[in-house]
Amino acid sequence: MSFLASLFGRKTSAPVARDRLQILLAHERATGEGQSDLLAKLHEEILEVIKRHISVDQDKVQVKMDRGAGVSMLEIDIEVPELKGKPGAKPSLAPDTAAAAD
Amino acid sequence: MAKVLVVTSGKGGVGKTTSTAALGAALAQTGKNVVVVDFDVGLRNLDLVMGAERRVVFDLINVVQGDAKLAQALIRDKRVETLSILPASQTRDKDALTPEGVARVMDELREKFDWVICDSPAGIERGAQLAMYHADEAVVVTNPEVSSVRDSDRIIGMLDSTTERAKKGEKINKHLLLTRYDPARAARGEMLRTEDVLEILSIPLLGIVPESEEVLRASNLGTPVTLSNPSSAPARAYFEAVRRLEGEKLDISVPSERKGLFDWLFKRSVA
């Protein structure tokens, strides 16, 4: 059955399910046993450092995550307000992006 | 005017999360702004069924407690742009959901979306009560099986007594969604028939979702069945259910699998 199905192009779905679960559970187990989740910690500390230097509106911070098997992405976009004392300076709208391999 | 819909059942494993995902994706495909909200704190699974499990940063509890803004916690679906997910927390702290906090989040969701679909946890306790409290409409997911029907009866009673609308003396629209239905077995008298369930529960029927291998395939892939295979029997049942939710009057039928030429040949070759 599965041989015929794969022969005719319809992929079986169970291997997809297995892969998705393996990735998910690897992350959940790592965080469940008291070990801190690296991505969560990075996220927290990066924001702390930024808050120390500039006051950022929570609404202007977008955090995106993509947890993968080999590589995970943590993407933090912060809209930095126009810096004082630099009249005419362009607002630095380019998002600061931090990416981390897990 | 936004509508809040709770998908509930009392009994576990009858298809609440599957139905939430399928109905949400079907509604969003009509162009409506839809958010699906996972109320199953501690045992979240809506993210997994929707294929967003790797993208969760913040959750409902973070928003309720003010640690994150709603916009930060909402995950935009990658396939349908009008569909968003608000995941539940995986931490075990169920008491973190306060009625006031949930009320605030629901108000905010009502402003942003046309439909707010709340996936209730199983059971009849706090979590299930919070999920249904703000609902304007309820989908009661029931299997044609005695314990499921009994639990649905219990949930219908709660919808009529403990929700905000009930307390204000207003009506909450209840709809029965019969899932995992097998017409052949019902015809042979091996399974409760639709009429039996309707007679016992006496709430209007929203749809009959036939037992189908497509449902497992959809959850394997992390894609609601109304996206993974829109022409399959369960998907058509959900699309029709959505049209009824939007007020259309349609005759109820049990969709069956349409066999394509390939399926037909394939079935023959292995038979």
Side-chain angles (χ1 to χ4, degrees):
Chain A
M1 278 284 278
S2 62
F3 165 72
L4 273 178
S6 58
L7 196 68
F8 289 104
R10 183 159 212 204
K11 279 191 202 152
T12 52
S13 61
V16 182
R18 190 198 51 218
D19 293 348
R20 292 175 61 221
L21 276 173
Q22 275 173 346
I23 293 168
L24 179 68
L25 295 184
H27 285 285
E28 285 189 353
R29 286 183 186 139
T31 51
E33 290 159 15
Q35 293 167 297
S36 66
D37 181 4
L38 176 64
L39 287 191
K41 199 156 202 171
L42 277 176
H43 162 217
E44 203 175 293
E45 290 186 9
I46 288 168
L47 287 185
E48 245 169 56
V49 170
I50 287 157
K51 270 185 201 154
R52 219 181 291 153
H53 296 283
I54 33 173
S55 68
V56 235
D57 188 346
Q58 267 260 64
D59 282 325
K60 304 285 165 65
V61 181
Q62 277 298 332
V63 186
K64 280 184 194 161
M65 190 104 80
D66 193 354
R67 297 168 190 271
V71 178
S72 293
M73 280 278 297
L74 172 66
E75 192 182 318
I76 306 181
D77 284 5
I78 300 156
E79 219 178 284
V80 181
E82 200 164 351
L83 297 172
K84 280 175 195 164
K86 279 188 185 174
K90 277 187 188 171
S92 41
L93 282 176
D96 294 0
T97 302
D102 196 0
Chain B
M1 184 56 192
K3 274 196 179 157
V4 177
L5 172 80
V6 63
V7 178
T8 186
S9 71
K11 191 175 183 302
V14 295
K16 283 183 296 297
T17 302
T18 304
S19 296
T20 302
L23 292 172
L27 267 169
Q29 285 177 80
T30 68
K32 293 282 161 61
N33 272 315
V34 180
V35 61
V36 288
V37 186
D38 193 348
F39 269 85
D40 204 346
V41 175
L43 288 172
R44 72 165 174 225
N45 273 321
L46 187 59
D47 55 334
L48 190 55
V49 169
M50 301 275 301
E53 74 279 4
R54 287 153 63 167
R55 299 167 61 208
V56 175
V57 184
F58 298 111
D59 55 52
L60 176 62
I61 288 193
N62 293 137
V63 182
V64 164
Q65 295 188 331
D67 297 331
K69 297 277 183 168
L70 180 60
Q72 293 178 315
L74 288 170
I75 303 173
R76 181 81 65 89
D77 189 89
K78 284 189 171 170
R79 300 148 300 207
V80 188
E81 65 171 23
T82 51
L83 179 60
S84 298
I85 308 157
L86 183 55
S89 169
Q90 189 68 331
T91 55
R92 289 150 214 97
D93 199 359
K94 277 197 179 181
D95 295 332
L97 279 187
T98 59
E100 303 75 34
V102 172
R104 192 172 46 77
V105 175
M106 294 308 280
D107 282 345
E108 219 177 318
L109 288 171
R110 274 182 197 268
E111 279 172 30
K112 285 192 171 194
F113 294 96
D114 301 316
W115 282 93
V116 180
I117 306 183
C118 305
D119 183 19
S120 172
I124 53 168
E125 284 162 30
R126 201 184 140 83
Q129 299 224 11
L130 278 171
M132 70 167 67
Y133 190 76
H134 299 276
D136 306 306
E137 314 243 346
V139 169
V140 180
V141 182
T142 306
N143 291 166
E145 181 269 326
V146 287
S147 58
S148 175
V149 175
R150 179 201 211 175
D151 292 358
S152 292
D153 189 61
R154 193 79 194 279
I155 281 289
I156 292 167
M158 283 174 59
L159 286 166
D160 286 331
S161 60
T162 64
T163 54
E164 188 178 31
R165 274 182 172 250
K167 284 179 181 166
K168 282 197 254 169
E170 291 170 6
K171 200 167 77 86
I172 175 162
N173 286 322
K174 300 176 294 289
H175 312 270
L176 178 71
L177 188 66
L178 200 56
T179 55
R180 309 202 69 166
Y181 191 73
D182 185 334
R185 298 194 72 186
R188 288 199 298 270
E190 297 169 11
M191 182 181 264
L192 286 171
R193 293 172 311 147
T194 309
E195 303 87 272
D196 302 330
V197 181
L198 279 174
E199 194 189 310
I200 297 165
L201 295 178
S202 51
I203 59 170
L205 185 60
L206 186 68
I208 305 169
V209 183
E211 175 82 67
S212 166
E213 55 194 47
E214 284 301 320
V215 173
L216 178 58
R217 182 170 176 271
S219 87
N220 279 346
L221 299 175
T223 309
V225 73
T226 42
L227 285 171
S228 67
N229 189 352
S231 61
S232 65
R236 280 183 286 135
Y238 284 117
F239 281 118
E240 282 186 14
V242 154
R243 287 168 65 188
R244 289 188 195 99
L245 276 179
E246 296 268 43
E248 263 186 73
K249 299 266 178 283
L250 298 168
D251 287 338
I252 301 262
S253 62
V254 190
S256 57
E257 293 299 346
R258 281 186 203 129
K259 294 287 180 207
L261 178 65
F262 172 75
D263 292 307
W264 184 75
L265 284 171
F266 180 66
K267 273 267 145 59
R268 292 214 124 191
S269 67
V270 293

